[in-house]
Amino acid sequence: MSKKIAYSGKDHGSFEREWQLHKNCSEWWYATGTLDSGGNLYSFQFTLIRARAAFLRPYILMLALTDFQTQKHHYYQNFDFLGKSVTVGDAAVAFGSTAKAEKTDKGIRLTADGGTFGYDISLDYGKGAVWHCDNGYLKMGVDKPGQSTIY
C-alpha cells in the first residue's frame, strides 16, 4: 500500500495526488462507460470504495456489465472490512485478484472477474482529467470541510 496523505480540501493539488489514499475520508476509484464490440453494445462499471464509518475503513468492490443485445445485466459486489486484500499504489488499485485499475502511459486498464462475467478494458486518456465544480471542490450539502469532496 502507498502512504496516506492528508486530505487537502480546496488545495488538492494534482490528479496524481488525488489517486493516493488520504487520511480521514471516504474515497473511491471508479470508471463507467459503454463499449461497442463488433456491433454489440455493452456498459460497464468498476468501483472500489474505501468508506469512512466511525473507526472502520471497509473497502467495497462493485463490478457490473450489461449486454444490451441479450438484455442481461451482471453484477458483483464484495467487501473487505480490514482492507487485507486491497492494494493502493502509485499506479494501481486492486481488490485481490478479482479487480484492478492500473494506470499506464496511454490510459487506464481495468480488469475484473465477477464470476459469471469479466472484462479487460484499456481506456485511453482522451481529453484528460477535468476538475468538476469549483476547481474540483464539491460541497456536499453544508459548507463544512468534512462535508465536501474533491471531484
Side-chain angles (χ1 to χ4, degrees):
M1 249 189 210
S2 65
K3 66 178 181 162
K4 293 180 185 174
I5 60 174
Y7 179 66
S8 50
K10 254 189 164 178
D11 185 24
H12 48 271
S14 71
F15 289 110
E16 296 303 316
R17 282 180 53 90
E18 291 309 314
W19 177 277
Q20 300 301 312
L21 279 173
H22 298 82
K23 294 178 184 176
N24 301 322
C25 66
S26 295
E27 52 197 329
W28 53 92
W29 299 263
Y30 76 95
T32 59
T34 58
L35 302 167
D36 184 339
S37 177
N40 293 340
L41 185 62
Y42 300 89
S43 68
F44 67 91
Q45 173 194 357
F46 177 105
T47 306
L48 179 59
I49 299 169
R50 185 185 78 155
R52 179 176 182 241
F55 60 90
L56 297 174
R57 302 291 184 276
Y59 285 85
I60 305 160
L61 174 68
M62 294 179 286
L63 306 170
L65 182 71
T66 301
D67 181 335
F68 289 96
Q69 183 176 6
T70 63
Q71 297 185 357
K72 290 190 178 183
H73 177 72
H74 305 275
Y75 181 76
Y76 175 86
Q77 183 170 302
N78 202 347
F79 301 88
D80 184 334
F81 290 101
L82 301 176
K84 290 185 176 186
S85 65
V86 177
T87 56
V88 178
D90 292 341
V93 295
F95 193 98
S97 61
T98 303
K100 184 176 187 179
E102 181 177 16
K103 293 190 291 184
T104 69
D105 291 341
K106 296 181 180 181
I108 295 178
R109 181 178 177 198
L110 304 174
T111 54
D113 179 0
T116 61
F117 70 99
Y119 50 77
D120 186 339
I121 303 169
S122 292
L123 307 169
D124 66 35
Y125 286 122
K127 295 179 181 179
V130 176
W131 294 117
H132 289 267
C133 302
D134 182 14
N135 194 29
Y137 184 74
L138 175 63
K139 295 177 187 176
M140 303 292 283
V142 294
D143 194 12
K144 293 169 68 176
Q147 300 294 318
S148 63
T149 188
I150 304 298
Y151 202 77

